[in-house]
Amino acid sequence: MNIALVGAGNLATNIGKAFVRARHSVVQVFSRTESSARDLASALGCSYTVSVEDVVDDADLYVIALKDSALGDVAGRLVQGREKCLFVHTAGSIDMDVIPALRRGVLYPMQTFSKAREVDFQAIPCFVEASQATDAALLKSLASEISSKVYELNSENRKFLHLSAVFCCNFANHCFRIGEKLLNEHGGVPFDVMLPLIDETARKLHALSPGEAQTGPAVRWDENVIGMQLGLLSDKPDLQHIYELLSKSIHDDKL
Amino acid sequence: MNIALVGAGNLATNIGKAFVRARHSVVQVFSRTESSARDLASALGCSYTVSVEDVVDDADLYVIALKDSALGDVAGRLVQGREKCLFVHTAGSIDMDVIPALRRGVLYPMQTFSKAREVDFQAIPCFVEASQATDAALLKSLASEISSKVYELNSENRKFLHLSAVFCCNFANHCFRIGEKLLNEHGGVPFDVMLPLIDETARKLHALSPGEAQTGPAVRWDENVIGMQLGLLSDKPDLQHIYELLSKSIHDDKL
């Protein structure tokens, strides 16, 4: 397929490379930031543009990988004059219908992308949806070439999937960040000491469900330790509040 | 060394096996639960007892690996008649002084132990402390035989270390649990699809700090997505509250 890539951020970079590895052609990269557009186009061996008007109008597929807030506006302008083309976005939490085209869809690769890290796209679950059955089949087939786990999921359920990912990734990572802060302030132990614990916490889930894997004072409802640890956070009311709510939620989960 | 193991739970099991692998002798296992005492004693090739009074009185080291709430009581009874012996506990959040002996200490292996999973003890950071300098040296040397990462840390700093571990392990795991629940309720996608994301979230930290690694709507402060996701949780006020607090904390961290 001839694919136009709209966006040049972390996700666009990773999915563009995956398309090329699967022997599809990325024919053009669009980004308002010229340096990003140029860098990605050069990595993918194609042309680039910084103006929506100059985006090619004969691509088989337009993949819009922009931040959520820019999606509606750019999609609206892209569709004009390209009414018969197929457009997909890559956002977990945005409705397919944000694209005002007859042939619209979603290809959401669920992963946390950072520019500096290349990820193994084959291992990333991809969720597809389309307004027309033939396009759904086409997207499923395309996604299967870049990922070994492809699911069809409608917009409503995808929103919950993305919310689940926010908890599993962003919020879990923030727990790591809080742990790092507490460590930095007391005893000068480097954060590296937490990595075996964090690795095992993730690895466990390949054998146990998160409920089965839970340990610690909250699941034991050890009120001495919980009270003592709340005391350690007395100068940090925000963290104290987070500690309290999560402990209670762990406890309630067992009732 | 001749070691008496007081306790037969997950931690006692794992540390007992590590001692034996390092060619120390576990001479006896104590547990009030006879089946646990017997099973562990049989795995370690030693005798067992279910009564504190029958614990041997000539061990070089007594390792008390009990749940926090039982620690003070059992330690008090153990020390009677064994006033010259060295006692350590293995709890992250409990003061060394809970043991009323002249020669007291702590050997805290920081990991999440589940009975069904054998862990690589060498990779587990161990934190030691003792009331006497010669015992601190002895514990450091013993810990170095079972773990490649040994630190000396006083009780006050160890409490913060343990609090940090609660965030990095228990609270992160609860975020996974919440994610699992949301997924189960919407669209029937199996929780397995989250594992690549969770693995990458943990793996990233070997290259980036948790602050650098953060992605998602909260760090971008994308109020549209945040508002929409809070709406998805409208029938779950507890989770809505957790979502709100963690998002705000992620945002504040960047200010």
Side-chain angles (χ1 to χ4, degrees), chain B residues 79-146:
Chain B
V79 169
Q80 284 171 36
R82 300 178 188 85
E83 279 78 10
K84 292 185 174 165
C85 298
L86 172 59
F87 298 86
V88 300
H89 73 67
T90 57
S93 60
I94 307 282
D95 207 286
M96 173 175 75
D97 293 341
V98 74
I99 302 171
L102 210 59
R103 296 176 59 205
R104 61 194 181 280
V106 177
L107 197 177
Y108 169 50
M110 189 178 65
Q111 188 50 280
T112 169
F113 295 102
S114 301
K115 233 171 196 173
R117 291 178 62 79
E118 275 237 26
V119 294
D120 172 15
F121 222 98
Q122 279 296 330
I124 300 176
C126 286
F127 298 86
V128 302
E129 175 184 18
S131 56
Q132 301 195 350
T134 48
D135 288 332
L138 189 147
L139 291 175
K140 235 176 150 168
S141 149
L142 174 67
S144 303
E145 292 176 56
I146 58 173

Side-chain angles (χ1 to χ4, degrees), chain B residues 95-197:
Chain B
D95 207 286
M96 173 175 75
D97 293 341
V98 74
I99 302 171
L102 210 59
R103 296 176 59 205
R104 61 194 181 280
V106 177
L107 197 177
Y108 169 50
M110 189 178 65
Q111 188 50 280
T112 169
F113 295 102
S114 301
K115 233 171 196 173
R117 291 178 62 79
E118 275 237 26
V119 294
D120 172 15
F121 222 98
Q122 279 296 330
I124 300 176
C126 286
F127 298 86
V128 302
E129 175 184 18
S131 56
Q132 301 195 350
T134 48
D135 288 332
L138 189 147
L139 291 175
K140 235 176 150 168
S141 149
L142 174 67
S144 303
E145 292 176 56
I146 58 173
S147 161
S148 59
K149 278 191 179 173
V150 177
Y151 299 83
E152 219 176 317
L153 201 69
N154 67 29
S155 288
E156 186 58 18
N157 285 329
R158 192 181 58 256
K159 282 179 195 168
F160 280 97
L161 175 83
H162 183 246
L163 177 59
S164 168
V166 165
F167 276 93
C168 290
C169 174
N170 309 149
F171 289 171
N173 184 70
H174 193 58
C175 293
F176 304 148
R177 170 67 180 134
I178 295 172
E180 182 194 32
K181 273 182 161 173
L182 293 169
L183 213 53
N184 285 345
E185 292 173 11
H186 302 276
V189 178
F191 183 62
D192 279 10
V193 302
M194 287 293 161
L195 295 179
L197 179 65

